Amino acid sequence: MAFGPFLLLALMEGLVTAAVLALAASGLSLVFGVMRVVNVAHGEFFMLGAVIAWFVTGMVPGPAWLAFAVAVVVAPLAVAALAALADALVLKRLNYDPEATIVATIGLLYMLQQAALTFYGPDARPVAAPFDLRLQTPWFGYSGYKLFVVLAAGVVLAGIWALMTRTKAGLVMRATQVDRDVARAFGINVDRVYMGTFALGAGLAALAGVLIVPITQAHYLMGGDPLLLSFIVVIIGGLGSLRGTLVAALVIGLSDGVISMFFSPTLAKILATLLVAMVLVFRPQGLFGTRSP
Amino acid sequence: MKVWASHLAVVALLLALGFLLPPYHATNMARIMVLAVFAMGYNLAFGYTGLLSLGHALFFAAGIYAAGLPIWHWGLGAAPALILGLLGGGIVAGVTGLLALRTAGVSFMIVTLMFAQAGYLTLLYFNGVTGGDEGFALPASGRMLFGADLSTDLPRYLTAWALFSATFLATLALVRSRFGRVMVALRENEERARMLGINPFTAKLAVLVLSGAASGLAGAAYGVLFGYAGASFATIQYSILPMLYVLLGGAGTVAGPLLGAVLMFALIEVANDLTSAWLFIVGAVLVIVVLFAPKGILGALRDRFFRGLP
């Protein structure tokens, strides 16, 4: 293949990464923005989404698209319920202290990972894509499902944006984000907002996991990379800024696709992690964020 | 005086255990003591100075490779390798600290995490030099210390004990010194410490270098005593382990890291008979300690009974 089509392929792969990353990272960003909690177990929610999708598609009879549609609904809901439980049992009792919650979510990470290993096993297992469509460009064939993932992620993100800016629930969440004490004084049930936000964030990660699983297969260790990349995206985009998260997901996803294809995936990750460290040190509000008061 | 006597008693007890324990437990105890050195280094930063780092695996790995690579490539002996490990950990911690200490709190945690991750990936990237994921076994020539073969039980135990005791007593002296009070002052109230004329940045940097040097020494000792170096020692798990030991035993206590390491080893050993799910136990202990005993065992004991415990 010539350089042009090769670059196009790299960019398309990068776009898929960016789409999934934007979903997972917006969940992390939401949780950090509203609750000021750094959720280290976020990658495990992603993994659980994929693993539950494998279980569900195995149990639902009928055509592949139906089983997948059920998984898209069931997996995020199940993971969101689990996250709500974790919030009530652990995070709330820590009073959302930033450092204690990080340690607690590290504990949660290990417990979820081990649970997946015990009940699901160490193998990577495939989930059939809901449809089999191959798009033919002049130079290479490309999976139609991957483009569907990009589309679906776009729709969900638009939904989240509408939720945050156009509904009462979004207003309440933003009010809590700005000042939880004042929000409480205005009669907002902050505990419920926190639980809902944590569940929503986890659900978004799980949805990203379901969408990616027909492409990459489900594995109990698959949460590590998305966690790292989500961190990178959220920090570069500015902690708690949804728009910044989106832009950063595109930048990181596309550059990851290009650097991975032309150099090496490890090099891409080294550069991204160093970039994050430097951003936090020299521009803590993120590349696209504004300095908070 | 009482404090020194009780800590010297711990050191003496550990020495006696070396001659009393059967080989299997002695090897485990040697491992615990080396990891306790690592945790004591971590404790200097986290327990005493309030620097919650998620990147100490980088310093541990710096030690293991600073010692292991010259042994592997050039046939260095164990004694200079241990010194190289100490220096390696300290230097890497110093460079990391110069950048990371410009941040605080959650940002500091994430910056250290990212540096450690970049370090781990770098080890994988240059796998021709470092052995990458598979790592390498240290040749026998690099495991001789003053004529004693460190791959045999007693010399291994005694070396681990000597390194542990040196770090243990040095930590005790450090935290009871003037600088130790500066560290605690920085943890409790940085602004007030600054007004008292302390430069927080240089003081924290010094702590981090000491902490990294201890971690590096532990890494080098781990490599030399157990004969293996690999990139897995640079993973996030090895940043969590010392934190776990310190939290469980008691952050900001001299003997806490040892207690935490011993308890965690015992717990996993007991659990191993019941289930292979040891990661679950690690996770559960983290959550339970943070929820119910945020000061750890010795921290809780200090609040109730032993007010003067350092």
Side-chain angles (χ1 to χ4, degrees):
Chain A
M1 256 190 317
F3 177 75
F6 208 51
L7 184 65
L8 180 68
L9 181 64
L11 286 175
M12 283 167 82
E13 288 292 319
L15 200 60
V16 177
T17 311
V20 174
L21 200 52
L23 271 185
S26 62
L28 194 69
S29 171
L30 210 59
V31 168
F32 184 82
V34 176
M35 307 167 67
R36 299 280 133 182
V37 163
V38 177
N39 177 18
V40 185
H42 198 67
E44 304 318 302
F45 291 143
F46 178 90
M47 176 273 290
L48 279 182
V51 166
I52 293 174
W54 181 83
F55 276 112
V56 170
T57 48
M59 278 190 287
V60 175
W65 66 266
L66 183 68
F68 192 77
V70 174
V72 162
V73 177
V74 169
L77 284 181
V79 172
L82 183 74
L85 192 70
D87 174 76
L89 288 182
V90 180
L91 299 185
K92 191 176 151 195
R93 304 180 59 157
L94 293 172
N95 208 14
Y96 304 101
D97 173 70
E99 295 187 343
T101 47
I102 291 191
V103 177
T105 51
I106 289 172
L108 202 60
L109 179 157
Y110 282 145
M111 294 203 287
L112 293 177
Q113 209 170 72
Q114 182 70 58
L117 177 63
T118 305
F119 296 111
Y120 172 79
D123 307 324
R125 300 178 201 188
V127 168
F131 55 86
D132 205 13
L133 179 69
R134 209 159 171 75
L135 300 174
Q136 196 58 45
T137 66
W139 312 280
F140 53 85
Y142 199 68
S143 153
Y145 177 74
K146 287 188 179 176
L147 293 183
F148 167 77
V149 169
V150 175
L151 206 67
V155 170
V156 173
L157 287 170
I160 294 294
W161 178 79
L163 174 79
M164 290 304 283
T165 56
R166 294 283 183 273
T167 67
K168 175 100 189 292
L171 187 66
V172 166
M173 280 161 82
R174 281 184 290 141
T176 313
Q177 170 164 4
V178 174
D179 191 325
R180 77 159 145 172
D181 293 326
V182 174
R184 206 192 299 271
F186 274 82
I188 291 174
N189 186 341
V190 171
D191 287 343
R192 237 177 63 200
V193 174
Y194 276 15
M195 188 188 271
T197 306
F198 199 63
L200 179 62
L204 282 170
L207 183 62
V210 179
L211 286 176
I212 199 73
V213 71
I215 302 174
T216 61
Q217 303 194 341
H219 187 254
Y220 81 103
L221 286 177
M222 71 189 289
D225 274 358
L227 175 71
L228 194 68
L229 286 172
S230 296
F231 260 126
I232 292 170
V233 162
V234 169
I235 288 164
I236 290 179
L239 288 161
S241 142
L242 213 52
R243 193 172 22 164
T245 301
L246 209 61
V247 177
L250 272 176
V251 171
I252 293 292
L254 291 179
S255 54
D256 185 69
V258 172
I259 299 176
S260 297
M261 194 157 292
F262 288 101
F263 301 97
S264 104
T266 313
L267 186 64
K269 282 202 206 97
I270 295 177
L271 292 178
T273 42
L274 286 179
L275 176 65
V276 164
M278 292 308 155
V279 166
L280 269 178
V281 170
F282 294 108
R283 214 183 134 76
Q285 71 274 34
L287 290 182
F288 306 101
T290 47
R291 194 176 282 277
S292 58
Chain B
M1 222 50 245
K2 232 167 82 183
V3 167
W4 279 99
S6 58
H7 285 79
L8 282 171
V10 172
V11 168
L13 176 71
L14 285 171
L15 179 61
L17 280 180
F19 297 95
L20 298 175
L21 286 175
Y24 172 74
H25 291 288
T27 308
N28 265 349
M29 200 60 216
R31 209 179 287 266
I32 288 172
M33 285 190 289
V34 171
L35 288 175
V37 171
F38 185 18
M40 283 189 285
Y42 186 82
N43 194 21
L44 285 181
F46 167 55
Y48 287 98
T49 321
L51 296 169
L52 215 178
S53 146
L54 288 180
H56 264 59
L58 181 62
F59 314 145
F60 188 74
I64 221 172
Y65 279 98
L69 288 179
I71 290 179
W72 189 36
H73 290 295
W74 305 311
L76 200 72
L82 285 173
I83 294 169
L84 278 180
L86 181 86
L87 294 177
I91 291 169
V92 171
V95 173
T96 311
L98 277 177
L99 289 164
L101 284 173
R102 296 170 60 117
T103 64
V106 170
S107 294
F108 180 77
M109 297 170 80
I110 299 177
V111 169
T112 48
L113 176 68
M114 290 297 161
F115 275 127
Q117 191 65 22
Y120 166 64
L121 293 167
T122 308
L123 285 176
L124 293 187
Y125 191 68
F126 294 104
N127 59 2
V129 184
T130 63
D133 231 357
E134 287 177 19
F136 54 89
L138 268 64
S141 65
R143 303 181 63 194
M144 299 295 287
L145 190 66
F146 308 125
D149 184 357
L150 296 181
S151 57
T152 52
D153 284 327
L154 194 61
R156 171 160 53 201
Y157 189 93
L158 290 178
T159 309
W161 173 82
L163 293 174
F164 169 83
S165 304
T167 317
F168 189 65
L169 297 176
T171 306
L172 184 60
L174 179 69
V175 301
R176 286 168 66 83
S177 71
R178 202 183 151 74
F179 188 68
R181 300 196 181 280
V182 170
M183 286 158 61
V184 174
L186 284 169
R187 178 187 74 195
E188 294 301 326
N189 191 331
E190 188 174 328
E191 271 315 303
R192 200 171 291 174
R194 192 200 305 273
M195 281 195 287
L196 290 173
I198 297 162
N199 182 338
F201 185 81
T202 46
K204 284 198 231 167
L205 190 63
V207 171
L208 207 59
V209 168
L210 289 175
S211 173
S215 308
L217 178 65
Y222 204 93
V224 170
L225 292 182
F226 301 102
Y228 169 76
S232 59
F233 291 115
T235 55
I236 166 92
Q237 270 199 27
Y238 277 83
S239 297
I240 306 296
L241 273 186
M243 184 175 83
L244 180 70
Y245 298 157
V246 168
L247 276 172
L248 180 63
T253 60
V254 175
L258 174 70
L259 182 66
V262 169
L263 283 179
M264 249 356 261
F265 257 79
L267 194 62
I268 288 172
E269 188 80 1
V270 172
N272 250 344
D273 297 338
L274 307 171
T275 158
S276 61
W278 69 273
L279 261 185
F280 193 88
I281 310 233
V282 170
V285 169
L286 271 178
V287 172
I288 290 168
V289 166
V290 167
L291 269 179
F292 301 108
K295 289 182 175 172
I297 293 168
L298 283 183
L301 284 179
R302 172 163 62 186
D303 283 356
R304 304 256 164 78
F305 308 110
F306 311 109
R307 307 287 319 181
L309 193 72

